[in-house]
Amino acid sequence: MTDLEKHQRMANAIRFLSVDAVEQANSGHPGLPMGAADIATVLFTQFLKFDPTAPNWADRDRFVLSAGHGSMLQYSLLYLLGYEDFTLDQLKNFRQIGALTAGHPEYGHGAGIETTTGPLGQGLANAVGMAIAERLLETRFGSDLVDHYTYVLAGDGCLMEGISQEALSLAGHLKLNKLIVIWDDNGISIDGAVSLTDSTDQVARFAASGWNTLSIDGHDPSAIETAIRQAQASDRPTLIAAKTTIGFGAPTKAGTAKVHGAPLGADEIKGAREALNWPHDAFDVPSDILDAWRIAGLKSAHARKDWEKRFANKDADTRAEFERRLRGDLPADLHEALQAYKKQLADDQPTMATRKASEAVLSVINGVVPETIGGSADLTGSNNTKTEQTAPVTPDDFSGRYIHWGVREHGMAAAMNGMALHGGLIPYSGGFLVFSDYCRPAIRLAALMKQRVIHVMTHDSIGLGEDGPTHQPVEHYAALRAIPGLNFFRPADITETLECWQLALEAKETPSILALTRQNLASQRKTYEDKNLCARGAYVLIDSDDEAQVTIFASGSEVEIATAAHAKLTEEGIATRVVSVPCFELFEQQSDDYQDAVVGNSPVKIAVEAGIRMGWDRFIGTGGAFIGMSGFGASGPYKSLYEHFGITSDAVVAAAKSRISG
Amino acid sequence: MTDLEKHQRMANAIRFLSVDAVEQANSGHPGLPMGAADIATVLFTQFLKFDPTAPNWADRDRFVLSAGHGSMLQYSLLYLLGYEDFTLDQLKNFRQIGALTAGHPEYGHGAGIETTTGPLGQGLANAVGMAIAERLLETRFGSDLVDHYTYVLAGDGCLMEGISQEALSLAGHLKLNKLIVIWDDNGISIDGAVSLTDSTDQVARFAASGWNTLSIDGHDPSAIETAIRQAQASDRPTLIAAKTTIGFGAPTKAGTAKVHGAPLGADEIKGAREALNWPHDAFDVPSDILDAWRIAGLKSAHARKDWEKRFANKDADTRAEFERRLRGDLPADLHEALQAYKKQLADDQPTMATRKASEAVLSVINGVVPETIGGSADLTGSNNTKTEQTAPVTPDDFSGRYIHWGVREHGMAAAMNGMALHGGLIPYSGGFLVFSDYCRPAIRLAALMKQRVIHVMTHDSIGLGEDGPTHQPVEHYAALRAIPGLNFFRPADITETLECWQLALEAKETPSILALTRQNLASQRKTYEDKNLCARGAYVLIDSDDEAQVTIFASGSEVEIATAAHAKLTEEGIATRVVSVPCFELFEQQSDDYQDAVVGNSPVKIAVEAGIRMGWDRFIGTGGAFIGMSGFGASGPYKSLYEHFGITSDAVVAAAKSRISG
């Protein structure tokens, strides 16, 4: 058997495992695995650095299947290489409930999958984040501990999505030379030929953002090998445009959209087996070929053993710090530092915007937690995400801790997912809350993947004022609270801001959003509490001596309005409680008893929030009064806007009194 | 006064009106108007075809300020040219509540503003849609009625946003040669120099997608003139990269980020007045310069008078049809055609997926409504948005009615906004509901601008099955219902699908989303009703003879589950009603009496929907039972998923019985 024959048989093993699994599931995408099998075979047997027996080894190369619909390519590889989670039974259970082999690769479904893909373009942007993380950690721990490549297999769809431009332009700017993107250039998308919809010269496009570019025949193993070798040597990120035939080997469907997303059918599979000289039964990989794959898996493992030796030779502090960061544990002294600052705040009672409060808290955090990496989507001065500890990262210097992401909200959020997945770092961003819409698909994936990414989103209501309705969040609180597995925080003052930051950092498996004001807010918390009151999601900020007639629930900047209304009502002898609600999601996780106690049973319940009502019925019931927004905002000075939309303490008082009398 | 001096003084009028308005508001962005004033002066006085006295004339050139923060550039222009809505008082009221001169240009705030901008990149993509609309209508009505350019002024931020890639690659592919984008290449973004974050050769990037590209000095009026002339003559869309100095004329802040988004301050303004030799008071434009601008406004109006003559010479049918389409009125025979089909459905009682139902209904609509333009983001066969009437639009033939948008959800939705804004067309799209997240910023703007765009979003729940949680909407119903001014429809069968389509078409000032299933659904509506029952948002689908003990509320595919539960409960002697809820938003617009009657007062209320609970408390109260999702979905055959997540008629029955006994 020549090397070429061996290569082809190994690639065919991928092809037919994929075809057979799709056929058995009667669902899936055979076209990409058949077309990209040659690329994957060369990459995984000759280049990728990994160890199937230690799939989470920190210095492994990362492989991202951005074209996630080709999931069977990855599952076949993981099985062939001997990753223990991916048994033949798993392949036979492709796309069934409970199988690790979900329709698209799901992070957490078995070790060996680096990220969840399927929503196109996300994987490419995750990979940019992983490559950033590699450079950051290499700068911190040295290249004998951190020195790996990030490989991406991307499809035409990935490159058509706008997020790809944000990702590639950033990668080019930052000269992420260990990022290697292989574009499976098969010229076919679901509706037919790509030429139906696009005429872009992708190679020229990547070159325009400073990438090294190569064009090859994606079925020629030696061309693939040469290209990857050249890519590894480049001082810039590399695009390898690999011409392939989708569904390579399928006798009548290859090269057409028919092979993209549907089982081939028995006849076509029979024809493919003949065409590719693969006379084996479904799911049957001849032992010599399986052995060849397993040997490739073992061979790569040497790199890990060498790394373990280098790691063992490091001093104990370095080892401990490296391991702590990779585990994602926070430094032991963070808690104390934050509590000390919280004490000071109880004394100082500062009035400030929560975006400024966040900056102050971040100054404490960044002084103690070296693994935070801040940034902003070109709104640094508005988001207040940069502290004295965070020098900017530049293309030639990754010792900094602050990323100027540019006007790239979506790319930023997806790259942050990649940084968190890579491990060793805690990324936090800056942006305007209204533009959470621009990065929503990546926020959703952070939640699905349970990644600790923290988004600082300022200018969180009509309180931003003159920029007007295009910039004023109204529906965003509800829309973000709707995403499962995401903590949406809206702190009311600097102490709550501190507590919410604390919670976001401690939530190792939950992404967080901190919605912060542009406008100043008075301190609401008058005394120091050792406990993190925000941890329960909602709590009684002001209780009433008598049995309360009115309870006012509020979040963020409207807590100030609630306490002002409380003062007026109390003055009129109406017993009133105020409940601060910084985080719906954490509140829902509390015991029924706690929840019932906080909601209470005062006859009148009112919620105040400068957004829409959706979600507040949980607190006030369908009969409660809601003081907030029912449509879009407007352009004007913020105080006039609050008046204009009737979000005032007087409105709360009036609502309370009308309900008491009514 | 030489021509150059005159040009400079006219440009300075823009500069200082903008500077003065920002100063007076103590808020806003002087940098862009100062930097782009030369470009705007040449474009508006020498090229743009418009008539200030007939600002909505159909064949005017469109101008889009994609860099919407530079709104004072546009307001200054509109005032100088004599648009009656934009008085000097409006400029003096910049960014105040109720003023037409909002922080960012708002469509509907005075005639002359073609689209709402501010969220970066949107305007550029809107303009692509406008240019598509122009080509489509030119093909239908001839170039003597439709022949205009679309001009865009875009900033660095617009070009960094991913949506710009979707927009420009589509424009290049479609050879939209009457689209001319002027890039205000000032090298500055909010965080500082663009070189902090990006190294893209934008000219090469546009060229890679087939654009004509030109590079000029953006302060040289003759270079600007020559470039626009060349752009007009191109057979491809043109990018004019115009190097400018942000804040041109500001003595110490020009060319820096300081001049981007904050008032200049008195000293800097004084210095600018000196530097640019503009010794006039705030808001004072010398009469000779104002006259020069007004004359430019009048001059351009000749084109309209010529057009009116050509229009008057058309036959009555053409005139009537052109005017009908531009008014956005539907053809008179649509209603009858749909009612006839609805009658047939009542007889046939077909079982089919609502995506297929939508296709069947669209076949009727597209046969009667020539102005619908369909499309899909590369999911034509899945979305079922293409009917026998809709041949594809190609770069060389715009007689078709179907746009293969490619994998560009965001660009698609924003371009559709542009098509709707242009007028004369009703765009509808196709996509997967989960990827509404990818185009959410554009959907929000459609709602803010009150544009009739219709998004067909299929695969609307875990019912899509094997593709798994990345593709399964869970929070999207709530998140879309949260957007003010958007109708989110989730029809339960083909008859409801027809009615929802009818409502979407009739809603001239409201965008609509139709959430449709992949899986088959039985007909729920058993008899023909002349009235559109979905028009009230929710209605009693099955009433009970006795006083109801249980009411089941459901939308879309879960109505089938509700009716099955109804049958079981009725068999057990438990009087039960079923309420179908195709559209929350329309329901909220009904009278209190109607709402109360539909909600009813049965002691047990249950909602069933394959999404999260948020929003349903409106119907079932906080004590009601909700059968749905509380987290992300999973990969598996859809029937097993419904079982797995407990969204079944048995679960509804069990919930009902436990509440009756409890």
Side-chain angles (χ1 to χ4, degrees):
Chain A
M1 189 162 60
T2 65
D3 281 356
L4 180 61
E5 281 166 354
K6 186 176 159 197
H7 163 86
Q8 285 169 341
R9 291 186 68 209
M10 289 177 79
N12 285 339
I14 297 174
R15 289 190 176 101
F16 286 98
L17 284 172
S18 302
V19 163
D20 294 340
V22 169
E23 198 68 14
Q24 173 130 332
N26 195 27
S27 172
H29 300 76
L32 184 142
M34 298 177 83
D38 292 307
I39 295 164
T41 301
V42 172
L43 177 62
F44 276 76
T45 61
Q46 296 187 47
F47 292 97
L48 205 78
K49 184 176 79 170
F50 63 97
D51 183 348
T53 67
N56 296 318
W57 166 42
D59 198 35
R60 69 193 181 278
D61 288 342
R62 303 313 197 260
F63 171 74
V64 173
L65 182 65
S66 190
H69 51 272
S71 56
M72 269 311 306
L73 176 82
Q74 190 157 14
Y75 302 145
S76 300
L77 283 164
L78 292 170
Y79 161 67
L80 289 166
L81 289 162
Y83 282 77
E84 67 176 9
D85 286 339
F86 290 88
T87 61
L88 198 57
D89 278 348
Q90 286 289 347
L91 269 58
K92 289 178 180 170
N93 263 319
F94 180 50
R95 294 189 153 223
Q96 306 308 303
I97 295 181
L100 298 179
T101 48
H104 294 80
E106 302 275 344
Y107 178 77
H109 279 215
I113 295 171
E114 302 285 3
T115 181
T116 295
T117 52
L120 294 175
Q122 297 289 335
L124 176 58
N126 294 162
V128 170
M130 292 174 183
I132 290 172
E134 195 269 350
R135 285 283 293 277
L136 289 167
L137 289 170
E138 187 263 323
T139 304
R140 282 146 178 78
F141 289 97
S143 58
D144 48 349
L145 288 193
V146 184
D147 182 11
H148 55 264
Y149 289 95
T150 303
Y151 296 96
V152 180
L153 187 65
D156 295 295
C158 292
L159 302 195
M160 270 201 246
E161 289 286 3
I163 189 176
S164 68
Q165 182 63 25
E166 300 182 21
L168 80 89
S169 61
L170 183 67
H173 174 72
L174 289 176
K175 297 185 190 157
L176 300 175
N177 62 308
K178 283 152 126 182
L179 174 66
I180 299 172
V181 174
I182 305 172
W183 167 36
D184 179 32
D185 175 15
N186 61 36
I188 294 294
S189 69
I190 293 175
D191 274 5
V194 170
S195 59
L196 267 178
T197 55
D198 194 41
S199 311
T200 298
D201 178 344
Q202 297 289 3
V203 169
R205 175 186 167 210
F206 277 73
S209 284
W211 285 56
N212 174 39
T213 58
L214 303 165
S215 297
I216 60 167
D217 172 356
H219 297 298
D220 176 350
S222 75
I224 300 165
E225 182 190 337
T226 305
I228 297 176
R229 217 170 287 291
Q230 288 175 0
Q232 286 186 335
S234 174
D235 59 353
R236 291 167 293 151
T238 296
L239 174 76
I240 301 174
K243 264 269 181 254
T244 63
T245 301
I246 190 170
F248 182 89
T252 72
K253 295 181 179 175
T256 75
K258 285 181 197 151
V259 82
H260 166 85
L264 293 186
D267 288 352
E268 189 77 6
I269 294 178
K270 187 158 168 279
R273 286 193 141 81
E274 279 161 19
L276 295 177
N277 190 23
W278 188 261
H280 314 293
D281 288 345
F283 294 107
D284 181 21
V285 178
S287 59
D288 64 322
I289 295 301
L290 187 56
D291 285 350
W293 272 108
R294 293 285 156 97
I295 289 165
L298 290 172
K299 214 171 58 185
S300 179
H302 287 300
R304 181 179 70 88
K305 295 194 183 93
D306 294 343
W307 184 90
E308 298 286 2
K309 279 182 211 145
R310 294 196 300 277
F311 185 70
N313 286 333
K314 294 284 172 185
D315 64 84
D317 284 353
T318 301
R319 291 204 310 272
E321 181 65 6
F322 187 83
E323 288 181 332
R324 180 189 69 76
R325 291 202 199 177
L326 266 293
R327 275 197 315 273
D329 293 345
L330 295 168
D333 44 354
L334 173 64
H335 187 76
E336 201 177 333
L338 285 173
Q339 297 303 104
Y341 188 49
K342 197 161 124 177
K343 266 190 194 128
Q344 186 194 317
L345 294 172
D347 293 340
D348 295 352
Q349 295 285 308
T351 288
M352 61 169 85
T354 47
R355 61 175 174 148
K356 288 294 291 178
S358 169
E359 181 181 15
V361 173
L362 269 170
S363 289
V364 177
I365 293 168
N366 288 339
V368 183
V369 186
E371 63 265 35
T372 51
I373 303 291
S376 168
D378 196 41
L379 292 166
T380 296
S382 298
N383 302 143
N384 301 86
T385 40
K386 196 166 180 313
T387 67
E388 64 275 21
Q389 300 92 348
T390 56
V393 169
T394 72
D396 302 313
D397 182 1
F398 275 69
S399 67
R401 290 173 60 183
Y402 193 84
I403 300 177
H404 286 287
W405 290 105
V407 189
R408 299 182 181 102
E409 299 87 357
H410 200 179
M412 170 177 74
M416 287 167 66
N417 289 350
M419 292 167 74
L421 287 161
H422 181 281
L425 302 166
I426 303 175
Y428 70 86
S429 75
F432 283 165
L433 181 58
V434 81
F435 299 131
S436 61
D437 281 349
Y438 271 76
C439 49
R440 197 169 161 89
I443 294 171
R444 183 179 208 255
L445 283 164
L448 185 59
M449 295 192 283
K450 302 181 191 295
Q451 293 302 301
R452 175 172 51 186
V453 295
I454 303 171
H455 292 291
V456 173
M457 293 185 164
T458 69
H459 294 58
D460 78 340
S461 75
I462 53 167
L464 66 86
E466 290 87 347
D467 275 345
T470 53
H471 285 55
Q472 291 164 351
V474 164
E475 73 277 28
H476 297 77
Y477 318 147
L480 290 165
R481 287 170 182 150
I483 297 178
L486 170 71
N487 285 341
F488 176 80
F489 294 100
R490 194 159 182 261
D493 69 358
I494 186 166
T495 299
E496 283 200 1
T497 303
L498 180 150
E499 291 183 345
C500 292
W501 257 112
Q502 209 163 21
L503 294 164
L505 290 168
E506 288 167 359
K508 282 173 74 165
E509 299 204 331
T510 310
S512 297
I513 291 178
L514 283 87
L516 304 174
T517 67
R518 175 173 188 253
Q519 73 272 31
N520 280 338
L521 300 177
S523 278
Q524 296 301 325
R525 292 271 286 277
K526 303 300 177 192
T527 54
Y528 172 74
E529 295 269 358
D530 191 52
K531 269 200 309 193
N532 185 322
L533 298 186
C534 292
R536 307 187 87 170
Y539 65 94
V540 179
L541 177 68
I542 309 179
D543 215 341
S544 66
D545 296 333
D546 303 316
E547 190 139 316
Q549 288 179 272
V550 177
T551 301
I552 310 172
F553 302 86
S555 84
S557 40
E558 286 69 67
V559 171
E560 197 170 67
I561 291 170
T563 56
H566 168 269
K568 291 177 185 174
L569 288 165
T570 306
E571 207 174 274
E572 300 196 34
I574 300 171
T576 300
R577 304 158 74 226
V578 176
V579 173
S580 179
V581 190
C583 182
F584 279 38
E585 298 74 30
L586 292 177
F587 183 67
E588 292 299 334
Q589 293 165 24
Q590 306 308 309
S591 69
D592 287 352
D593 283 352
Y594 180 79
Q595 292 187 38
D596 291 348
V598 168
V599 172
N601 40 30
S602 61
V604 174
K605 295 197 176 77
I606 302 175
V608 202
E609 185 170 71
I612 61 164
R613 177 172 181 139
M614 189 183 274
W616 280 101
D617 286 359
R618 168 69 186 85
F619 292 90
I620 58 174
T622 48
F626 180 73
I627 307 291
M629 301 290 290
S630 60
F632 293 108
S635 172
Y638 87 88
K639 287 183 184 175
S640 349
L641 288 171
Y642 270 87
E643 288 291 334
H644 178 75
F645 290 108
I647 307 176
T648 62
S649 59
D650 285 343
V652 175
V653 169
K657 286 163 77 174
S658 84
R659 269 153 211 263
I660 290 170
S661 64
Chain B
M1 190 161 60
T2 66
D3 281 356
L4 181 61
E5 281 165 355
K6 184 177 161 199
H7 162 86
Q8 286 168 340
R9 292 186 68 211
M10 289 177 79
N12 285 340
I14 296 174
R15 289 190 174 99
F16 287 97
L17 284 173
S18 303
V19 163
D20 295 338
V22 170
E23 199 68 13
Q24 172 129 332
N26 194 25
S27 171
H29 301 76
L32 185 141
M34 297 176 86
D38 293 306
I39 295 165
T41 301
V42 174
L43 177 61
F44 276 75
T45 61
Q46 297 187 47
F47 292 98
L48 206 79
K49 184 176 78 171
F50 62 98
D51 183 348
T53 67
N56 297 317
W57 166 42
D59 199 35
R60 70 193 181 278
D61 287 341
R62 302 315 196 256
F63 171 74
V64 174
L65 182 65
S66 190
H69 51 274
S71 56
M72 269 312 305
L73 175 81
Q74 190 157 14
Y75 302 144
S76 300
L77 283 165
L78 293 170
Y79 162 66
L80 291 167
L81 289 162
Y83 282 75
E84 69 176 9
D85 286 338
F86 291 88
T87 60
L88 199 57
D89 278 347
Q90 286 291 345
L91 269 58
K92 290 178 180 172
N93 263 317
F94 180 50
R95 295 189 152 223
Q96 305 308 304
I97 296 182
L100 298 178
T101 47
H104 294 81
E106 304 274 346
Y107 178 77
H109 281 216
I113 295 171
E114 302 285 3
T115 181
T116 296
T117 52
L120 293 175
Q122 297 290 334
L124 175 58
N126 295 161
V128 170
M130 291 174 184
I132 290 173
E134 195 268 352
R135 286 282 294 275
L136 288 167
L137 289 171
E138 186 264 325
T139 304
R140 282 148 179 77
F141 288 97
S143 57
D144 48 349
L145 288 193
V146 183
D147 181 13
H148 54 266
Y149 290 95
T150 304
Y151 296 95
V152 180
L153 187 66
D156 294 295
C158 292
L159 302 195
M160 271 203 245
E161 290 285 4
I163 189 176
S164 69
Q165 182 62 27
E166 300 183 22
L168 80 88
S169 62
L170 183 68
H173 175 71
L174 289 176
K175 299 183 187 156
L176 299 175
N177 63 306
K178 283 150 126 184
L179 174 65
I180 298 172
V181 175
I182 305 172
W183 166 35
D184 179 32
D185 176 15
N186 61 35
I188 294 292
S189 69
I190 294 175
D191 274 5
V194 170
S195 59
L196 267 179
T197 56
D198 194 41
S199 311
T200 298
D201 177 342
Q202 298 289 4
V203 169
R205 175 187 167 210
F206 276 74
S209 285
W211 284 57
N212 175 40
T213 58
L214 302 164
S215 297
I216 60 166
D217 171 356
H219 298 297
D220 175 349
S222 75
I224 300 165
E225 180 191 338
T226 306
I228 297 176
R229 217 170 286 291
Q230 286 174 1
Q232 287 186 336
S234 174
D235 59 353
R236 291 167 293 150
T238 296
L239 174 75
I240 301 174
K243 265 268 182 254
T244 63
T245 300
I246 190 170
F248 182 90
T252 73
K253 296 182 178 176
T256 75
K258 283 179 201 157
V259 80
H260 166 83
L264 293 186
D267 288 351
E268 188 77 6
I269 294 177
K270 185 158 170 279
R273 285 194 143 80
E274 279 161 18
L276 295 176
N277 190 22
W278 188 261
H280 314 292
D281 289 343
F283 296 106
D284 180 22
V285 177
S287 61
D288 64 323
I289 294 301
L290 187 57
D291 286 349
W293 272 108
R294 293 285 156 96
I295 289 164
L298 290 173
K299 213 172 58 185
S300 179
H302 288 301
R304 183 180 70 88
K305 295 195 184 95
D306 295 343
W307 183 91
E308 298 286 2
K309 280 182 211 143
R310 294 197 299 277
F311 186 70
N313 286 332
K314 294 284 171 185
D315 63 84
D317 285 353
T318 301
R319 292 202 311 271
E321 180 65 7
F322 186 84
E323 289 182 331
R324 180 188 69 76
R325 292 201 198 179
L326 268 291
R327 275 196 316 272
D329 292 345
L330 295 168
D333 43 355
L334 172 64
H335 188 77
E336 199 178 334
L338 284 173
Q339 297 303 101
Y341 188 49
K342 195 161 126 180
K343 268 192 190 124
Q344 186 194 318
L345 294 173
D347 294 339
D348 296 352
Q349 294 285 306
T351 289
M352 62 169 84
T354 46
R355 62 175 172 148
K356 289 291 294 177
S358 169
E359 182 182 15
V361 173
L362 270 171
S363 288
V364 176
I365 293 168
N366 289 339
V368 183
V369 186
E371 62 267 32
T372 52
I373 303 291
S376 168
D378 196 41
L379 292 166
T380 296
S382 298
N383 301 141
N384 301 87
T385 39
K386 196 166 179 314
T387 68
E388 65 275 19
Q389 298 93 346
T390 55
V393 169
T394 71
D396 302 313
D397 183 359
F398 276 68
S399 66
R401 291 174 57 185
Y402 193 84
I403 298 177
H404 286 286
W405 290 105
V407 189
R408 299 183 181 101
E409 297 87 355
H410 201 178
M412 169 178 75
M416 287 166 66
N417 290 352
M419 291 166 73
L421 287 161
H422 181 282
L425 302 166
I426 304 175
Y428 70 85
S429 75
F432 283 164
L433 181 58
V434 81
F435 300 131
S436 61
D437 281 350
Y438 271 76
C439 47
R440 197 169 160 88
I443 294 171
R444 182 178 209 256
L445 283 165
L448 185 58
M449 294 191 283
K450 302 182 190 295
Q451 292 303 301
R452 175 172 53 186
V453 295
I454 303 171
H455 293 291
V456 174
M457 293 188 162
T458 68
H459 295 58
D460 78 341
S461 75
I462 54 167
L464 66 85
E466 291 86 348
D467 275 344
T470 52
H471 285 55
Q472 291 164 352
V474 164
E475 73 277 28
H476 297 75
Y477 317 146
L480 290 165
R481 286 170 183 149
I483 297 178
L486 170 70
N487 285 340
F488 176 79
F489 294 101
R490 195 161 180 258
D493 70 357
I494 185 165
T495 299
E496 283 199 1
T497 304
L498 180 151
E499 290 183 345
C500 293
W501 258 112
Q502 209 163 22
L503 294 164
L505 289 169
E506 288 167 359
K508 281 173 76 166
E509 298 204 335
T510 311
S512 297
I513 291 178
L514 283 88
L516 305 173
T517 67
R518 175 173 187 251
Q519 73 271 30
N520 279 337
L521 300 176
S523 278
Q524 297 299 327
R525 292 272 285 277
K526 303 301 180 191
T527 53
Y528 172 74
E529 295 268 359
D530 191 52
K531 270 203 305 195
N532 185 323
L533 299 185
C534 293
R536 306 187 86 171
Y539 64 94
V540 179
L541 178 66
I542 307 179
D543 215 339
S544 66
D545 296 334
D546 302 318
E547 191 139 315
Q549 289 179 272
V550 177
T551 300
I552 311 172
F553 302 86
S555 84
S557 40
E558 286 69 66
V559 172
E560 197 170 69
I561 291 170
T563 56
H566 168 269
K568 290 176 185 173
L569 288 165
T570 306
E571 207 173 274
E572 300 196 33
I574 300 170
T576 302
R577 305 156 75 225
V578 176
V579 173
S580 180
V581 189
C583 182
F584 279 39
E585 297 74 31
L586 291 178
F587 183 66
E588 292 300 335
Q589 293 166 23
Q590 305 309 307
S591 68
D592 288 352
D593 283 352
Y594 180 79
Q595 293 187 37
D596 291 347
V598 167
V599 171
N601 41 28
S602 59
V604 175
K605 295 198 178 75
I606 303 176
V608 201
E609 185 170 70
I612 61 164
R613 177 170 181 142
M614 188 184 274
W616 279 100
D617 287 359
R618 168 71 188 83
F619 292 91
I620 58 175
T622 48
F626 181 71
I627 307 290
M629 301 290 290
S630 59
F632 293 109
S635 172
Y638 88 87
K639 286 184 183 172
S640 348
L641 289 171
Y642 270 87
E643 288 290 333
H644 178 76
F645 289 107
I647 306 175
T648 62
S649 59
D650 285 344
V652 175
V653 168
K657 285 161 77 173
S658 85
R659 268 152 210 264
I660 289 170
S661 65

